[in-house]
Amino acid sequence: MASAAEQLAANMNMGTFAKATELHKRLLFTLLALLVYRIGTYVPIPGINSEAFLQFFQNPDGQRGILDMFNMFSGGAVERMAVFALNVTPYISASIIVQLMGTVYPPWEKLKKEGGESGRKQLNQYTRYLTVFLALAQSFGIAAGLNAQPGLIDEPGVFFIATTVVSLTGGTMFLMWLGEQVTARGVGNGISLIIFAGIVAVLPSTIARMLGLAQQGQMSAFALFFIAVLAVATVVFIVFMERAQRRLLIQYPKRQEGNRMAGGERSFLPLKVNTAGVIPPIFASSLLMLPTTVASLTANADLPSYLGWLPLVTSQLTHGQPLFMALYAALIIFFCFFYTSITFNPEDTAENLRKYGGFLPGIRPGKRTAEYLDYVLTRLTVIGAAYITAVCLLPEFMVAQMGNSLYFGGTSILIVVSVTMDTVAQIQSQLLAHQYEGLIKKAKLRGRGGRGAPTPVRR
């Protein structure tokens, strides 16, 4: 039998959407915020020669493999060297570090487990401070690399480096603030929506590039058809896996309440196959971008002898290369298990079940329940990690076979599909909340006899 929420969701229509004024405000705020983000990706940093940098970026002989991914996540801001070129990458890297420290550093672990809302705010503040530090370091490396390239800067020097550091760091901090505002006043996770908007923005140019290669004869019609079919199949597979769950039956015992028996209900504890969501590929991509961004920009510069290994490392950390694929897969698997471990605690779940009298049939409450939950979750995470790794690495194998003429990103498809599903779920929850409020108001009016008049009493 369908639940009340499922029945309400089935009855939702455009009339319900038209009455949800609060949802309209949230959607409008989200769209305006994303519009501001897109405008910022077209504002170049001061002193850069945009045409010369675009030619340098599009040079097929350049070592720019990792920059392609960076450019995709930033919505094309890297190829224009805009103020949002760093995007939210420093914030994501800072979040990784803070979450890792929250599991090994006792004071931060105590804040996360026992601090409550104030502890969460304190950790968020630490994340912001670390974001500033990482943004300064990355922007300084980019500024120094650009300054060393002849012809890219109108007036190279210390002033250009300083203005570039300020512009890129300020752009990252503004995007971090904008993402937090979207989370609080918009729909969905603001940081994820910013990454989503960047990927979707470069999608038309990617399709146009694909069709151009087909027209020029550099790609066969069969290869074009195969890529299109593979993209559709990947989307279907992602939707199926993201909705896949393992439902554990929970039984509540019967209890005596006065002259009647209460309780004895059954419910389900849903465990997603992919508990970590899109976080693992985003974290893995961010960590791969962090050490190689500067190396990619300085690959053709005059380097000292002790840095002669940088061009070799940069050439190996490109799409389709064995080292890149091995590191990418290892990082995705690691973050699948790591993020699952910090978002779902089997011991806390078992303790909550015990407090409310619930139990898993055939499993003793307490420690045995926690062990069983950990057993099930570990095996689900293995399947989820294999699924995410396969989706993200399949295009890398295609690049290895077809060359770097076209990059087809499984990570980008995974992010777009997952964020779309999460945003739709957020919108549906807002509509459900609006319908619940409407039903409550109707019930109150009905209880007062209609239009506020007292209900007549029969004698």
Side-chain angles (χ1 to χ4, degrees):
M1 182 177 178
S3 64
E6 291 172 341
Q7 292 175 2
L8 283 174
N11 295 328
M12 284 192 301
N13 49 36
M14 291 304 296
T16 305
F17 178 79
K19 297 176 182 178
T21 56
E22 178 65 22
L23 179 59
H24 296 167
K25 295 178 182 178
R26 288 180 174 272
L27 286 172
L28 181 60
F29 181 84
T30 302
L31 293 176
L32 290 176
L34 295 180
L35 178 61
V36 171
Y37 161 65
R38 289 303 302 155
I39 293 175
T41 59
Y42 286 88
V43 180
I45 60 175
I48 189 76
N49 189 330
S50 301
E51 296 181 358
F53 181 80
L54 183 60
Q55 293 177 0
F56 166 78
F57 185 86
Q58 294 179 344
N59 182 14
D61 297 330
Q63 302 291 343
R64 38 162 291 210
I66 199 69
L67 290 182
D68 283 331
M69 183 185 292
F70 207 170
N71 187 58
M72 175 188 65
F73 285 149
S74 65
V78 172
E79 66 181 4
R80 293 183 286 270
M81 195 43 66
V83 293
F84 290 165
L86 282 182
N87 207 23
V88 291
T89 304
Y91 176 78
I92 296 174
S93 302
S95 300
I96 298 172
I97 296 173
V98 171
Q99 290 179 4
L100 284 172
M101 293 295 293
T103 60
V104 298
Y105 185 53
W108 287 13
E109 185 178 6
K110 185 177 180 181
L111 275 178
K112 184 174 68 173
K113 292 183 177 180
E114 304 175 6
E117 184 65 19
S118 61
R120 186 186 65 82
K121 290 182 178 180
Q122 187 67 35
L123 289 177
N124 287 342
Q125 196 66 20
Y126 292 152
T127 303
R128 296 187 185 98
Y129 294 150
L130 188 56
T131 300
V132 175
F133 173 78
L134 293 178
L136 287 172
Q138 285 186 265
S139 59
F140 178 78
I142 292 175
L146 291 174
N147 193 67
Q149 293 289 338
L152 297 184
I153 312 302
D154 295 332
E155 297 181 2
V158 177
F159 183 74
F160 168 76
I161 294 177
T163 55
T164 300
V165 168
V166 172
S167 300
L168 293 179
T169 303
T172 295
M173 300 310 297
F174 177 78
L175 286 182
M176 182 184 69
W177 174 83
L178 191 65
E180 293 177 350
Q181 295 301 310
V182 171
T183 302
R185 303 171 60 183
V187 291
N189 188 328
I191 299 298
S192 298
L193 283 175
I194 288 175
I195 299 175
F196 166 86
I199 296 174
V200 171
V202 300
L203 187 60
S205 61
T206 302
I207 296 176
R209 183 181 176 187
M210 185 188 305
L211 296 176
L213 290 175
Q215 290 179 351
Q216 296 171 7
Q218 300 181 20
M219 178 181 294
S220 64
F222 175 78
L224 186 64
F225 176 76
F226 177 75
I227 291 176
V229 172
L230 182 62
V232 174
T234 302
V235 170
V236 174
F237 180 60
I238 291 173
V239 172
F240 174 78
M241 292 300 294
E242 290 297 323
R243 291 184 176 273
Q245 294 178 347
R246 168 71 187 278
R247 293 188 174 186
L248 300 180
L249 178 63
I250 299 176
Q251 180 73 46
Y252 292 92
K254 294 183 179 180
R255 61 186 183 274
Q256 186 76 27
E257 290 185 357
N259 295 326
R260 65 185 182 89
M261 295 294 294
E265 300 95 350
R266 290 185 175 185
S267 63
F268 293 95
L269 175 64
L271 299 178
K272 291 186 62 178
V273 172
N274 180 26
T275 307
V278 298
I279 298 299
I282 293 177
F283 279 9
S285 302
S286 300
L287 286 185
L288 284 176
M289 291 175 187
L290 186 62
T292 57
T293 301
V294 179
S296 298
L297 289 172
T298 60
N300 297 325
D302 295 331
L303 298 174
S305 58
Y306 60 87
L307 293 179
W309 51 270
L310 270 179
L312 178 62
V313 172
T314 305
S315 64
Q316 292 299 314
L317 288 176
T318 56
H319 298 296
Q321 295 297 326
L323 179 61
F324 177 85
M325 290 189 287
L327 289 176
Y328 197 28
L331 287 173
I332 288 175
I333 294 173
F334 168 76
F335 282 117
C336 279
F337 282 91
F338 170 74
Y339 200 76
T340 300
S341 66
I342 65 176
T343 54
F344 186 91
N345 191 328
E347 295 181 358
D348 292 344
T349 304
E351 181 63 22
N352 290 332
L353 285 176
R354 188 187 63 81
K355 287 180 180 179
Y356 291 101
F359 63 92
L360 302 176
I363 306 296
R364 184 174 298 175
K367 183 178 179 181
R368 295 299 299 272
T369 299
E371 292 175 352
Y372 180 75
L373 290 175
D374 183 68
Y375 172 85
V376 174
L377 189 64
T378 301
R379 279 146 184 78
L380 289 177
T381 306
V382 170
I383 299 174
Y387 139 68
I388 297 180
T389 305
V391 169
C392 294
L393 286 189
L394 179 60
E396 303 298 335
F397 287 108
M398 291 181 58
V399 170
Q401 296 297 324
M402 301 174 59
N404 289 324
S405 59
L406 179 67
Y407 177 61
F408 176 72
T411 306
S412 59
I413 295 179
L414 178 65
I415 293 173
V416 168
V417 175
S418 300
V419 173
T420 300
M421 293 174 63
D422 291 342
T423 305
V424 170
Q426 290 278 349
I427 294 175
Q428 287 182 341
S429 66
Q430 293 284 336
L431 289 174
L432 285 173
H434 176 74
Q435 281 193 309
Y436 275 125
E437 291 176 0
L439 290 175
I440 292 173
K441 290 180 180 179
K442 288 180 181 179
K444 289 182 178 180
L445 289 174
R446 203 175 292 120
R448 291 199 299 262
R451 299 181 179 179
T455 305
V457 179
R458 293 184 178 180
R459 297 185 180 273

